[in-house]
Amino acid sequence: EDQVTQSPEALRLQEGESSSLNCSYTVSGLRGLFWYRQDPGKGPEFLFTLYSAGEEKEKERLKATLTKKESFLHITAPKPEDSATYLCAVQAGNYGQNFVFGPGTRLSVLP
Amino acid sequence: NAGVTQTPKFRILKIGQSMTLQCTQDMNHNYMYWYRQDPGMGLKLIYYSVGAGITDKGEVPNGYNVSRSTTEDFPLRLELAAPSQTSVYFCASSYRGAGAGNQPQHFGDGTRLSIL
């Protein structure tokens, strides 16, 4: 069974304090790994797609990396506006359009 | 550009009542999806559609029905509401699906549904 776990469940950082979020996955035939940001009361907002081990993507203070079993979302010198829940999702090759989502990491960046 | 629009934003239903959650997208996307999000859990796929007239079940379809008569609209129907269906429902769309560039999904802002 395809599974996605994320850690930590919640993370509190001081402004400027860099850290990483983890997404571990067990799927048959990874077709893509997605990172989303979700603000309270809003739908997920797309950040990155990673396709193969070793791939990296960057956007402002965020950098996503991928290995064969996990992905990291590195946050460099975060600002309070980076506070959100970060979701990881994988698309497996088993069937159809099933995207398996992790439960998310709730990030708080304090000024 | 509105993207994906969901209505209503909030709704309270009594057990056994029926309702339709509306979803419209203006991006001419072929693929549309319905998810539910429960506290501490990942989004779960309820139904999806790869184009007008074509729908298929996701991971948790029981208690729900969908239709796709146009490219833009993908309503989700609850026939006999149960407390277990209390959740936040998200509609999403993408230009293409699996095996075609893995297009990311664009989400609406959700419908918060309580069954009492």
Side-chain angles (χ1 to χ4, degrees):
Chain A
E1 181 183 345
D2 300 333
Q3 286 190 334
V4 177
T5 59
Q6 292 186 248
S7 61
E9 182 176 329
L11 181 63
R12 182 173 291 190
L13 300 174
Q14 290 295 133
E15 184 173 2
E17 180 186 1
S18 301
S19 188
S20 297
L21 313 182
N22 176 265
C23 170
S24 295
Y25 62 90
T26 306
V27 297
S28 302
L30 179 72
R31 305 187 86 157
L33 185 141
F34 302 80
W35 281 98
Y36 291 86
R37 169 193 170 123
Q38 186 174 23
D39 294 302
K42 298 291 186 180
E45 176 186 350
F46 170 72
L47 293 173
F48 303 109
T49 307
L50 301 167
Y51 296 103
S52 58
E55 189 174 1
E56 299 182 353
K57 294 275 181 73
E58 282 190 70
K59 179 180 180 181
E60 296 181 357
R61 295 176 294 282
L62 301 177
K63 178 181 177 180
T65 62
L66 181 65
T67 72
K68 288 187 176 179
K69 293 187 175 182
E70 57 191 351
S71 176
F72 291 94
L73 185 65
H74 306 278
I75 304 176
T76 302
K79 298 181 178 181
E81 53 262 41
D82 294 322
S83 297
T85 296
Y86 290 86
L87 304 176
C88 169
V90 297
Q91 191 175 35
N94 290 3
Y95 68 94
Q97 302 298 316
N98 200 17
F99 292 76
V100 181
F101 279 81
T105 292
R106 191 170 61 255
L107 175 66
S108 300
V109 182
L110 306 177
Chain B
N1 190 351
V4 178
T5 302
Q6 292 184 239
T7 58
K9 294 188 184 302
F10 304 93
R11 184 73 183 268
I12 298 175
L13 283 182
K14 293 183 179 179
I15 295 172
Q17 286 186 321
S18 301
M19 79 162 294
T20 300
L21 282 64
Q22 302 291 345
C23 175
T24 299
Q25 54 92 8
D26 63 359
M27 297 173 283
N28 201 33
H29 285 172
N30 293 318
Y31 293 76
M32 295 188 75
Y33 313 78
W34 274 106
Y35 290 90
R36 59 178 289 171
Q37 186 177 41
D38 299 306
M41 307 286 288
L43 288 152
K44 300 290 186 184
L45 183 66
I46 305 171
Y47 271 95
Y48 67 93
S49 168
V50 301
I54 306 171
T55 63
D56 206 348
K57 296 178 181 179
E59 185 180 355
V60 290
N62 291 344
Y64 307 95
N65 280 298
V66 293
S67 59
R68 183 96 181 271
S69 58
T70 67
T71 299
E72 294 79 20
D73 301 309
F74 190 40
L76 178 71
R77 178 83 177 162
L78 281 71
E79 291 293 349
L80 292 171
S84 61
Q85 294 177 305
T86 293
S87 188
V88 182
Y89 291 85
F90 287 99
C91 178
S93 71
S94 64
Y95 180 60
R96 294 179 295 182
N102 298 306
Q103 298 290 309
Q105 297 173 344
H106 299 261
F107 286 82
D109 284 338
T111 293
R112 283 144 189 84
L113 181 62
S114 295
I115 315 294
L116 303 177

